[in-house]
Amino acid sequence: MDDVLRELSRVTLAGRELADVLGEITTIAAQAIPGAEAVSTTLIRDDKPFTAAYSGEMALLADELQYAEDGGPCIDAGRGGVVLRIDDMRTEERWPRYIARVREMAVRSSLSVPLPYQGSWIGALNVYSTRPSAFASPGSLRAGLGAAEAIAVAIANADAHAQMADQARNMRIAMESRAVIEQAKGVLMAQRHVTAEQAFEILREASQRYNRKLREIAVGIVESTQTQR
């Protein structure tokens, strides 16, 4: 287990696409979780599950069967935050529609571990095997929990980076808007011999009258003075 955690801790998050990070973590999980033959990462966005990364075609196919039926351990683990293990597909009675279809494949056992995120869950790490009871050992669960935690950290890091980028973009837009409004005020003050407060009131009234954003009105005024030169 310590080896798994060390490998997962070495995964670089900064400056990488989330899909690449999830792919690397999923591959590590496939190699490190006892009993694993195929592993996938299911994410649930707007209540719709999808496979964000996988190692082994068997995992992708088993995931897709569950999405088609809108039911199965990977979906229930991801939505409900519970660890779900199937020791033998031949005797499993939960999720009958999914089980009936997956029995046609080589999958005999599986383990689905929820992905924690901000007090809730955003998906599941899914582990599959062609052998029954492949994940009955405590080591499989510990390794699965470690990999799920690494995936959750990667997603949180990606979301934080996206939020910072949005904030920076919004701040830049706000600064640009303020600058052009100040320019427009200066033009009005010079042309109409009004104060700064009066110039701003002129802009505000024009914005309401023409049902356009204040910045758009300001841009129009600034551009009109440039074309007159």
Side-chain angles (χ1 to χ4, degrees):
M1 179 59 186
D2 290 340
D3 292 341
V4 178
L5 294 177
R6 275 196 294 271
E7 276 199 78
L8 293 172
S9 68
R10 294 192 188 107
V11 176
T12 302
L13 303 180
R16 299 179 63 191
E17 294 291 331
L18 179 59
D20 294 336
V21 175
L22 294 183
E24 183 177 353
I25 295 174
T26 302
T27 299
I28 292 172
Q31 297 169 350
I33 296 175
E37 296 178 38
V39 176
S40 65
T41 297
T42 291
L43 296 184
I44 300 176
R45 297 288 171 93
D46 299 323
D47 205 38
K48 298 294 183 183
F50 64 96
T51 300
Y54 69 94
S55 177
E57 201 73 23
M58 180 170 63
L60 178 63
L61 295 175
D63 286 354
E64 293 291 345
L65 287 180
Q66 295 173 73
Y67 306 154
E69 299 295 341
D70 194 31
C74 81
I75 296 177
D76 286 1
R79 287 174 175 165
V82 292
V83 175
L84 293 170
R85 194 181 81 205
I86 298 177
D87 286 333
D88 196 332
M89 298 292 180
R90 295 176 302 182
T91 58
E92 179 60 56
E93 296 181 352
R94 295 170 293 180
W95 313 287
R97 290 190 299 179
Y98 161 64
I99 294 299
R101 297 184 64 182
V102 81
R103 280 174 182 160
E104 300 173 4
M105 298 172 53
V107 180
R108 288 286 297 279
S109 59
S110 68
L111 175 69
S112 292
V113 182
L115 305 176
Y117 185 73
Q118 296 182 351
S120 186
W121 304 275
I122 51 172
L125 175 75
N126 313 299
V127 196
Y128 299 95
S129 175
T130 59
R131 297 183 296 104
S133 301
F135 312 111
S137 72
S140 294
L141 178 57
R142 285 197 300 269
L145 289 170
E149 182 67 28
I151 291 170
V153 169
I155 293 171
N157 181 76
D159 286 351
H161 180 75
Q163 289 174 5
M164 288 179 63
D166 286 342
Q167 290 172 358
R169 182 167 57 251
N170 292 337
M171 184 176 294
R172 185 181 68 252
I173 292 172
M175 292 176 66
E176 290 173 352
S177 296
R178 181 174 179 178
V180 75
I181 289 171
E182 290 299 320
Q183 286 180 319
K185 284 168 58 179
V187 171
L188 291 173
M189 291 168 65
Q191 290 179 343
R192 304 192 184 188
H193 307 290
V194 296
T195 65
E197 291 78 8
Q198 291 171 328
F200 181 80
E201 189 62 21
I202 292 170
L203 290 172
R204 189 185 65 80
E205 290 177 354
S207 172
Q208 293 178 342
R209 183 165 58 252
Y210 297 109
N211 194 28
R212 295 173 60 191
K213 292 181 179 179
L214 193 67
R215 181 182 185 279
E216 294 177 0
I217 298 295
V219 168
I221 292 173
V222 172
E223 290 181 346
S224 68
T225 61
Q226 293 173 345
T227 57
Q228 292 171 6
R229 294 176 182 175

